[in-house]
């Protein structure tokens, strides 16, 4: 956001981009279609399935160029324009091609105070790219993100809309990048607040082991 | 009957009207941007906030709690409510900006937010002068902005489609245009893209905003974000006069306003008539301007030489004098008014000619079940009701080429362009022609050519395809007629307050033409048949009396919105 504040210019989007996918590549498999129809039928109106559909398409194609958004719209049976509006609203839907791993470094208030920008700049120096860019080998993209809702474990980052990496230090960044280069995604970790550990001997949430929400990484229920 | 109290005044209501619409209908001028009566209310502009309360009820007795004076205690909602999305209920108490300081403050603050990234380029904006944002900022807004930082810049002059240009900076994201394409025209071509301060309406990639009704979004846009490519920077709104009339590109007869500057039609906008076009106009009706301004004749001609009106009338009456009536052919026009066609039938009768025919201008497959019709002429029904019938082109052709016609009288139509015959084939025929344009292909063959006033220059009435008789009012004046003296013309600022010395006052572009209700009686009187009418109002009054097809269709009855006529079969 920092650059936008210095130079608040919104550019016109490319209104007639070259299609990236076409022909046979641009289609859903039978299973994927069935999955989308299942989502469609589980909402009062079919438009409810749009975010699921877009997410599935992003998992399949890696990102969402206009022709993929059109494909999702046709599959769900809702207007292309509305689907496009939804896709551009959420930054987690990638409208252009990104690296294999997208590192969303949080620089919102809590993370910023705890050194979020230091982490961001360390990562930029390490990978030799600026935020918003992708490494030449197409492996990493660094993005600056607004609050990801993990202020208690600041500074933190998120890997490709998936697991969070908490309490970041330069050493942790080094280890993370090495692991990702080897193809190992970080594990989901359930973090408690420091004051809770003091008060309640480790974890105030006694139901962590019982409630799946707390123990499972909130990834999408996609097919692949 | 349920009652509601708005600003300490009681109103009765029926059903469950929406609060904002009820207020507007009852003269409480609540400011609003995103609400439009024909569309859903997303309540996203937040401008129509009001304080809403209900009488406090005792839970046990189910009766209102009373205060010390015996009045019911009103429990107001904790936050202000958007009146556009608020359903009215019995006993509701509403405080608007007229009686509540909190509402005044809320409206002021909402406007301050809306104006944060608005460019304030009103001096060059087409919407200035009739801009809800501008008006409401003056009425309800803050004196100045406290936002002293750089505004967000968004794409400017983007061609959304063939007729609409977007200036995204001016947009306040009311989503009226998006709701129009999704709820009214159903083309679904627009959406709001991006989020937060970056959002603006746009077509998705690869889609052009080529909806045949796309230009309606220009009117419903409460700011100058969507402008007409055709009319952009054409004229400021206060320089133009605005005349309530009807559109003439098809037989729908959509109600519209003609906007005129310097005697030229600058733009056409819809006029609300819930029985005909509701709030909308098609793009073809809106772009119907150049026809009235370009290729207009400079005066009457005889044998293609320009003459005075006197000489032209004389020449026309000479053509009709001492003829064999059965060998004269009168062609009426579905472009001409009921009055003019009626006078033509009287003239035909006077010279002993058979009842006129008219040329149908039907384009199969043009209709879309909404405002576009197959019939591309505005008054076919009016002709039919007068006893004129659509001509069989082949039969007409055979008669003219077979030498059965000595005199051909064409009222405001183009018999050559319609494919009846060629100009050469008319050489031996005396042709009297009322024409609109110098491009009229019958003109070279015309012995007497009389420039005719078009629908925007004459007084008259049309009967649309749905049997609704509606009035035309002159939007622009014609040469030799003072525009304010001519009947029922729309006044602009120059008319109301100006003098000929004002710099905006302009007498250019006056077309030297005459309406049929002036020229036909002139010809008739030279033939010894006086037609005693003061004007089209009297002609129509006579028709409403004498012709069962026009019962009730007086000017007074037609008024602004027209009257429905009975189907001919029933009355005849």
């Amino acid at each position: 956001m920092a650059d936008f504040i210095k130079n608040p210019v919104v550019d016109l989007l490319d209104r007639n981009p070259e299609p990236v996918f076409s022909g046979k590549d641009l289609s859903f498999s039978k299973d994927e279609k069935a999955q989308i129809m299942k989502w469609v039928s589980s909402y009062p109106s079919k438009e409810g399935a749009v975010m699921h559909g877009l997410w599935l398409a992003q998992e399949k194609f890696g990102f969402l160029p206009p022709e993929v958004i059109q494909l999702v719209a046709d599959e769900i049976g809702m207007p292309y324009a509305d689907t496009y509006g939804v896709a551009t609203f959420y930054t987690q839907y990638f409208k252009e091609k990104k690296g294999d791993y997208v590192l969303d470094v949080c620089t919102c208030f809590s993370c910023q105070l705890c050194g979020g920008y230091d982490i961001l700049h360390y990562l930029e120096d390490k990978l030799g790219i600026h935020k918003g860019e992708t490494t030449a080998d197409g492996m990493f993209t660094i993005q600056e993100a607004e609050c990801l809702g993990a202020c208690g474990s600041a500074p933190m980052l998120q890997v490709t809309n998936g697991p969070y990496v908490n309490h970041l230090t330069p050493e942790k960044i080094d280890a993370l990048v090495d692991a990702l280069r080897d193809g190992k995604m970080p594990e989901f970790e359930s973090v408690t607040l420091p004051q809770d550990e003091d008060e309640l001997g480790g974890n105030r949430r006694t139901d962590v082991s019982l409630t799946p929400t707390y123990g499972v990484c909130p990834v999408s229920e996609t097919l692949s | 009957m349920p009652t509601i109290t708005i600003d300490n005044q009681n109103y009765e209501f029926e059903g469950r009207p929406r609060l904002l619409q009820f207020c507007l209908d009852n003269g409480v001028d609540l400011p609003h941007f995103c609400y439009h009566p024909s569309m859903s209310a997303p309540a996203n502009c937040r401008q129509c906030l009001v304080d809403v309360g209900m009488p406090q009820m005792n839970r046990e007795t189910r009766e209102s709690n009373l205060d010390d004076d015996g009045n019911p205690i009103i429990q107001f909602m904790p936050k202000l409510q958007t009146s556009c999305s608020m359903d009215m209920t019995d006993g509701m108490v509403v405080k608007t900006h007229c009686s509540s300081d909190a509402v005044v403050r809320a409206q002021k603050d909402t406007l301050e937010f809306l104006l944060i990234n608005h460019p304030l380029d009103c001096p060059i904006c087409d919407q200035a002068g009739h801009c809800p944002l501008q008006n409401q900022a003056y009425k309800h807004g803050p004196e100045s902005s406290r936002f002293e930082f750089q505004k967000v810049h968004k794409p400017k002059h983007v061609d959304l489609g063939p007729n609409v240009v977007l200036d995204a900076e001016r947009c306040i994201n009311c989503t009226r245009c998006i709701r129009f394409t999704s709820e009214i025209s159903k083309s679904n071509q627009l959406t709001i893209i991006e989020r937060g301060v970056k959002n603006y309406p746009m077509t998705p990639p690869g889609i052009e905003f080529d909806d045949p009704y796309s230009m309606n979004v220009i009117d419903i846009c409460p700011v100058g974000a969507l402008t007409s490519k055709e009319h952009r920077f054409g004229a400021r709104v206060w320089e133009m006069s605005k005349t309530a009339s009807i559109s003439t590109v098809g037989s729908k007869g959509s109600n519209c306003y003609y906007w005129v500057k310097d005697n030229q039609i600058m733009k056409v906008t819809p006029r609300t008539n819930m029985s005909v076009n509701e709030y909308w106009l098609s793009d073809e009706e809106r772009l119907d301007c150049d026809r009235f301004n370009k290729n207009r004749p400079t005066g009457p001609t005889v044998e293609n030489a320009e003459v005075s009106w006197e000489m032209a009338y004389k020449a026309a009456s000479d053509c009709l004098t001492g003829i064999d009536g059965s060998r004269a052919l009168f062609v009426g026009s579905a472009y001409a008014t009921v009055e003019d066609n009626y006078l033509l039938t009287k003239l035909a009768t006077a010279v002993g000619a058979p009842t006129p025919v008219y040329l149908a201008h039907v384009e199969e497959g043009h209709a879309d079940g909404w405002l576009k019709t197959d019939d591309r002429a505005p008054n076919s029904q009016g002709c039919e009701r007068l006893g004129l019938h659509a001509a069989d082109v082949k039969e007409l052709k055979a008669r003219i080429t077979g030498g059965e016609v000595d005199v051909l009288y064409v009222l405001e139509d183009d018999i050559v362009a319609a494919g009846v015959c060629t100009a050469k084939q008319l050489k031996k025929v005396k042709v009297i022609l009322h024409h609109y344009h110098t491009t009229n292909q019958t003109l070279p063959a015309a012995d007497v050519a009389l420039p005719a006033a078009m629908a925007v220059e004459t007084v008259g009435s049309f009967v649309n395809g749905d049997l609704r008789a509606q009035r035309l009012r002159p939007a622009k004046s014609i040469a030799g007629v003072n525009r304010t003296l001519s009947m029922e013309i729309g006044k602009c600022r120059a008319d109301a307050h100006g003098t000929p010395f004002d710099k905006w006052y302009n007498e250019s572009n006056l077309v030297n033409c005459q309406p049929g209700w002036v020229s036909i009686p002139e010809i008739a009187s030279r033939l010894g048949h006086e037609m005693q009418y003061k004007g089209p109002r009297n002609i129509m009054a006579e028709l409403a009396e004498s012709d069962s097809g026009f019962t009730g269709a007086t000017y007074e009855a037609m008024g602004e919105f027209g009257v429905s006529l009975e189907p001919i079969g029933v009355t005849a």
Side-chain angles (χ1 to χ4, degrees):
Chain A
M1 275 306 264
D3 293 332
F4 185 75
I5 289 164
K6 278 183 209 154
N7 184 28
V9 176
V10 182
D11 290 320
L12 182 64
L13 67 111
D14 186 356
R15 298 186 65 198
N16 280 302
E18 281 294 315
V20 183
F21 302 100
S22 59
K24 260 194 153 179
D25 292 341
L26 186 64
S27 62
F28 286 125
S29 70
K30 222 175 152 190
D31 287 349
E32 288 160 340
K33 284 183 179 173
Q35 178 66 63
I36 291 176
M37 287 332 287
K38 200 177 136 200
W39 283 322
V40 167
S41 61
S42 64
Y43 288 98
S45 66
K46 57 192 174 189
E47 286 83 356
V50 64
M51 295 189 66
H52 278 306
L54 288 169
W55 196 259
L56 180 106
Q58 177 156 309
E59 301 265 312
K60 180 183 169 80
F61 297 100
F63 66 114
L64 298 173
E67 64 272 19
V68 172
I69 297 176
Q70 173 89 65
L71 179 71
V72 174
D74 293 346
E75 199 56 47
I76 296 173
M78 68 181 275
Y80 166 42
D82 294 358
T83 316
Y84 189 78
V86 172
T88 53
F89 182 85
Y90 294 100
T91 51
Q92 284 90 342
Y93 292 128
F94 304 140
K95 268 70 69 183
E96 59 263 350
K97 193 158 175 50
K98 305 272 179 182
D100 297 342
Y101 301 106
V102 181
L103 306 175
D104 285 315
V105 184
C106 177
T107 57
C108 209
F109 302 116
S110 308
C111 287
Q112 197 180 104
L113 290 169
C114 296
Y117 275 111
D118 295 339
I119 296 297
L120 176 66
H121 296 152
Y122 179 80
L123 197 54
E124 285 179 337
D125 289 345
K126 182 171 175 67
L127 297 177
I129 50 171
H130 290 292
K131 65 177 182 191
E133 291 172 0
T134 304
T135 51
D137 59 359
M139 191 161 248
F140 295 106
T141 300
I142 306 176
Q143 293 188 144
E144 190 183 1
E146 290 306 317
C147 188
L148 292 163
C151 303
S153 51
M156 54 75 66
L157 65 74
Q158 185 182 26
V159 184
T160 326
N161 297 336
Y164 286 7
V165 186
N166 303 299
H167 300 304
L168 288 173
T169 58
E171 293 76 36
K172 260 193 155 172
I173 292 282
D174 290 344
L176 172 69
V177 170
D178 288 344
L180 289 176
R181 284 217 167 102
D182 294 341
K184 271 195 280 181
M185 281 289 268
E187 291 282 308
F188 170 72
E189 57 174 329
S190 182
V191 180
T192 52
L193 299 175
Q195 65 269 30
D196 297 344
E197 290 174 16
D198 294 343
E199 278 177 21
L200 290 162
N203 202 332
R204 187 170 60 176
R205 286 179 181 153
T206 51
D207 58 346
V208 163
S209 57
L210 303 173
T211 312
T213 322
Y214 295 139
V216 178
C217 177
V219 289
S220 64
E221 36 175 309
T222 48
L223 296 168
S224 54
Chain B
M1 196 178 274
T3 56
I4 184 169
T5 309
I6 301 170
D7 293 335
N8 300 322
Q9 199 170 338
N10 292 323
Y11 299 88
E12 289 188 335
F13 65 94
E14 282 173 59
R16 275 175 88 81
R18 286 190 283 190
L19 181 54
L20 175 58
Q21 188 61 55
F22 186 80
C23 286
L24 296 176
D25 293 344
N26 286 284
V28 181
D29 186 22
L30 282 180
H32 63 279
F33 295 111
C34 70
Y35 176 77
H36 191 278
S38 66
M39 298 188 283
S40 61
N44 59 10
C45 76
R46 316 307 291 176
Q47 188 61 42
C48 64
L49 290 172
V50 289
D51 209 357
V52 178
M54 290 295 289
Q56 204 180 54
M57 196 181 277
N58 189 320
R59 281 171 194 255
E60 274 134 40
T61 60
R62 310 296 293 167
E63 276 171 15
S64 299
N65 288 338
L66 304 179
D67 62 11
D68 297 340
D69 300 333
N71 297 321
I73 298 172
I74 305 300
Q75 180 94 47
F76 281 93
M77 294 195 191
K79 293 279 165 68
L80 302 181
Q81 302 293 315
T82 48
S83 56
C84 65
S85 58
M86 170 72 56
D87 278 339
M88 285 165 47
T89 50
D90 190 17
M92 190 180 260
V93 177
V94 179
K95 285 189 194 169
T96 71
H97 56 283
C98 303
S99 62
S100 165
D101 288 342
V103 174
V104 170
R105 181 62 200 265
Q107 289 174 353
K108 189 169 157 181
D109 290 351
T110 307
L111 270 166
E112 191 175 4
F113 275 126
L114 286 176
L115 290 168
I116 276 185
N117 283 313
H118 191 78
L120 301 182
D121 55 352
C122 307
I124 59 148
C125 178
D126 279 324
Q127 190 83 346
H130 60 160
C131 175
L133 182 62
Q134 197 182 32
N135 294 348
Q136 290 176 35
Y138 276 117
K139 264 190 187 167
H140 308 286
E143 298 76 27
S144 60
S145 176
R146 289 172 289 172
F147 187 78
E148 52 198 27
F149 311 98
Q150 201 179 346
K151 296 190 175 204
V152 174
H153 293 287
K154 291 183 192 171
K156 292 183 94 76
H157 51 81
V158 183
D159 286 351
L160 285 185
N163 300 325
V164 182
V165 181
L166 168 75
D167 186 322
E169 283 186 357
R170 294 175 184 158
C171 178
I172 58 168
N173 289 302
C174 72
T175 70
R176 270 187 184 181
C177 52
I178 285 117
R179 282 176 285 140
F180 174 79
T181 62
S182 63
E183 295 172 18
I184 308 290
S185 76
K186 304 269 199 302
S187 67
N188 287 305
Q189 287 173 332
L190 289 178
T191 186
I192 296 275
I193 63 161
E194 283 287 349
R195 63 192 296 179
V197 291
K198 295 180 182 174
N199 63 3
Y200 58 93
M202 196 65 204
T203 58
I207 299 282
E208 213 189 352
F209 188 34
D210 56 0
D211 190 326
Y213 293 83
S214 66
M215 292 174 80
N216 285 305
V217 301
I218 298 164
D219 296 310
I220 59 176
C221 182
V223 291
L226 296 166
T227 48
S228 154
K229 203 186 234 178
E230 186 78 11
H231 178 255
R232 211 163 185 247
F233 305 128
R236 310 317 300 270
V237 66
W238 55 86
E239 295 172 330
M240 293 184 280
S241 65
K242 169 182 159 190
T243 308
S245 189
I246 59 175
S247 171
T248 57
V249 292
S251 69
K252 189 74 186 177
S254 299
N255 288 214
C256 68
Y257 289 111
Y258 287 106
W259 296 77
V260 174
K261 178 192 177 190
D262 295 347
N263 289 306
Q264 293 206 305
I265 304 286
M266 302 306 290
K267 65 171 178 175
V268 186
T269 57
R271 181 161 63 92
T272 307
N273 184 341
M274 298 314 277
S275 317
V276 184
N277 57 322
E278 298 184 346
Y279 308 92
W280 319 114
L281 272 190
S282 67
D283 284 8
E284 64 174 22
E285 290 166 312
R286 282 168 190 272
L287 295 172
D288 184 36
C289 299
D290 280 357
R291 191 160 72 89
F292 303 118
N293 305 334
K294 291 186 179 158
N295 299 321
R296 298 303 300 278
T298 50
T301 55
V302 173
E303 309 280 343
N304 290 319
E306 212 160 291
V307 295
S308 70
W309 281 98
E310 285 293 321
M311 287 170 73
Y313 292 142
K314 176 80 174 45
S317 59
D318 287 350
C319 289
L320 293 170
T321 311
I323 55 162
D324 176 1
S326 62
R327 291 177 64 82
L329 175 61
F330 281 70
V331 180
S333 171
Y335 294 123
T337 61
V338 170
E339 290 84 339
D340 294 358
N341 279 303
Y342 175 61
L343 294 183
L344 186 77
T345 54
K346 290 192 92 175
L347 183 65
T349 317
V351 300
T355 313
V357 291
Y358 76 95
L359 298 170
H361 298 274
V362 176
E363 188 185 323
E364 293 293 341
H366 187 76
D368 62 355
W370 190 7
L371 300 182
K372 288 161 83 173
T373 52
D374 278 345
D375 187 353
R376 304 304 304 277
N379 197 27
S380 311
Q381 279 303 320
C383 290
E384 292 283 347
R385 274 172 184 258
L386 285 166
L388 279 67
H389 293 293
D392 184 346
V393 172
K394 272 186 194 160
E395 191 199 319
L396 269 195
K397 188 173 187 167
R399 279 183 66 189
I400 291 169
T401 51
E404 289 176 36
V405 176
D406 287 341
V407 180
L408 177 63
Y409 194 114
V410 183
L411 180 72
E412 302 176 25
D413 212 324
D414 192 343
I415 199 158
V416 174
V420 173
C421 57
T422 62
K424 269 189 185 167
Q425 289 165 338
L426 289 171
K427 248 187 180 166
K428 287 183 187 159
V429 185
K430 291 266 185 205
V431 180
I432 303 167
L433 172 71
H434 292 258
H435 66 301
Y436 293 142
H437 296 119
T438 51
T439 51
N440 190 313
Q441 292 173 37
T442 316
L443 196 55
D447 293 273
V448 182
L450 304 161
M454 297 186 77
V456 295
E457 292 153 335
T458 190
V459 180
S461 44
F462 283 162
V463 182
N464 79 1
D466 305 324
L467 307 186
R468 195 176 186 82
Q470 301 185 102
R471 283 175 61 189
L472 286 173
R473 291 176 186 77
K476 56 186 277 199
S477 49
I478 52 183
V481 180
N482 183 323
R483 50 176 281 138
T484 47
L485 289 182
S486 113
M487 296 164 68
E488 12 249 345
I489 196 163
K491 283 186 178 180
C492 70
R493 209 177 90 186
D495 293 326
H497 311 293
T499 71
F501 308 108
D502 287 329
K503 67 181 175 198
W504 63 73
Y505 192 90
N506 199 317
E507 287 223 314
S508 57
N509 307 315
L510 289 173
V511 180
N512 188 13
C513 60
Q514 286 296 347
W517 53 268
V518 172
S519 47
I520 295 173
E522 289 278 3
I523 295 168
S525 72
R526 281 167 177 74
L527 289 169
H529 302 278
E530 290 297 333
M531 293 185 184
Q532 299 287 356
Y533 298 108
K534 273 187 195 159
R537 186 180 284 267
N538 302 66
I539 303 172
M540 209 59 206
E542 179 183 303
L543 262 176
E545 282 275 308
S546 62
D547 192 325
S548 61
F550 293 94
T551 306
T554 61
Y555 273 29
E556 288 73 20
M558 282 190 270
E560 270 187 73
F561 302 113
V563 287
S564 269
L565 300 177
E566 295 293 321
I568 297 181
V570 176
T571 51

